[in-house]
Amino acid sequence: MKGAEPDTEEIQFKASIKGEFKDISQRFSSLQMYSMRAEADKLTLVRIESRDIQKRPYLFYIFELGRNSLTVSYTRSRDASVKMRRLFVLKNLLSVLSLVSDLYVVDDSDLFQHVDSAIDDVINALSPSYSSLFNNYDSLFNEYRELKRLNLELQASNKELLVRATQLESDNKALKERMSKLEAYSDESLMVMVEDWIESHDGTIDINEFSKSHNIVSTRVEDVLNKMVSQGYIELRG
């Protein structure tokens, strides 16, 4: 719990410096999450992860790069896993050392042995149920990625359908406007127009020509002609 003092652990490695501490500190200047303190014979990196209620550092780890040794110190809350905490700190140590591998060298066998041991401890600590859970998670994650891919494809298809629907709606609106214009004449008005046409064309009417001339569908002209014949306004010639 946060109310109790955390446990502190320390690991030491044999090391040697090939460059100067000032050169190493320049490499570390980009590590904003770390505080750095340079001294004549060592360089110290500190990362504070959390503080207690009095604002004092609670969880933290420290890397002290000396001329002949590297010291790793870190705290661990008493209810946390010893093995997971050690592996976490070593993982961050490797990330830091990778930035200065040509200037600062840690004994490989010593470092690899600690890392291998930490990984081994964590793997052996995993229960069968946890391993099963991890396998299920891995399977579900693959399914999630496939569903995400299908979702992106559906979004693209929906976008295309939306564009097509918008175009169809625009075309439908244009057709309605055209039909409205074509049906603008009442039957009575159209009958008068037909009579005028017949009188000016020697008693004849070409339905297609009349339709094109007045921008009216030919079927409506035919309907009006039939109506005029049935009501005796015009007579069909044999």
Side-chain angles (χ1 to χ4, degrees), residues 175-187 190 214-217 220:
L175 287 173
K176 286 183 177 180
E177 291 176 353
R178 184 180 175 188
M179 289 297 296
S180 178
K181 292 179 180 178
L182 295 177
E183 296 174 354
Y185 300 109
S186 64
D187 284 357
L190 192 53
H214 294 86
N215 199 23
I216 303 173
V217 292
R220 183 148 188 255

Side-chain angles (χ1 to χ4, degrees), residues 23-32 34 36 45 99:
D23 299 323
I24 297 175
S25 63
Q26 288 178 354
R27 296 276 184 91
F28 290 155
S29 61
S30 61
L31 301 176
Q32 298 180 357
Y34 289 91
M36 182 168 55
L45 291 177
L99 298 177

Side-chain angles (χ1 to χ4, degrees), residues 189-206:
S189 298
L190 192 53
M191 289 168 68
V192 172
M193 292 166 63
V194 170
E195 287 181 339
D196 291 342
W197 180 278
I198 292 174
E199 289 179 3
S200 62
H201 289 78
D202 298 326
T204 62
I205 183 171
D206 185 312

Side-chain angles (χ1 to χ4, degrees), residues 45-208:
L45 291 177
V46 179
R47 182 175 182 183
I48 299 175
E49 301 164 273
S50 65
R51 296 178 181 271
D52 61 17
I53 195 170
Q54 283 82 33
K55 304 298 183 182
R56 296 175 304 181
Y58 182 77
L59 286 181
F60 59 87
Y61 52 88
I62 302 171
F63 303 146
E64 291 184 358
L65 286 70
R67 292 192 177 277
N68 301 311
S69 65
L70 166 65
T71 303
V72 178
S73 306
Y74 60 93
T75 58
R76 175 186 56 82
S77 58
R78 295 183 178 179
D79 59 348
S81 167
V82 176
K83 299 170 183 178
M84 290 296 291
R85 181 62 175 166
R86 183 181 299 119
L87 183 59
F88 172 78
V89 173
L90 288 175
K91 177 261 182 190
N92 284 279
L93 173 64
L94 292 175
S95 297
V96 167
L97 292 177
S98 67
L99 298 177
V100 292
S101 57
D102 57 330
L103 301 175
Y104 194 83
V105 179
V106 178
D107 183 84
D108 288 345
S109 60
D110 199 13
L111 178 61
F112 291 162
Q113 183 177 356
H114 275 86
V115 173
D116 181 70
S117 176
I119 294 174
D120 212 29
D121 285 343
V122 171
I123 292 176
N124 291 333
L126 297 178
S127 65
S129 59
Y130 183 88
S131 299
S132 177
L133 180 63
F134 183 82
N135 290 334
N136 289 336
Y137 164 80
D138 194 46
S139 176
L140 288 173
F141 182 71
N142 289 333
E143 290 181 16
Y144 162 76
R145 287 194 299 183
E146 179 64 16
L147 289 174
K148 186 177 181 180
R149 183 187 65 81
L150 292 174
N151 184 50
L152 291 175
E153 291 181 0
L154 287 174
Q155 287 181 5
S157 298
N158 287 340
K159 185 176 181 180
E160 183 180 350
L161 288 173
L162 180 61
V163 172
R164 292 176 60 186
T166 303
Q167 183 61 46
L168 288 173
E169 184 178 359
S170 178
D171 294 344
N172 187 46
K173 183 179 179 180
L175 287 173
K176 286 183 177 180
E177 291 176 353
R178 184 180 175 188
M179 289 297 296
S180 178
K181 292 179 180 178
L182 295 177
E183 296 174 354
Y185 300 109
S186 64
D187 284 357
E188 290 73 17
S189 298
L190 192 53
M191 289 168 68
V192 172
M193 292 166 63
V194 170
E195 287 181 339
D196 291 342
W197 180 278
I198 292 174
E199 289 179 3
S200 62
H201 289 78
D202 298 326
T204 62
I205 183 171
D206 185 312
I207 294 177
N208 291 330

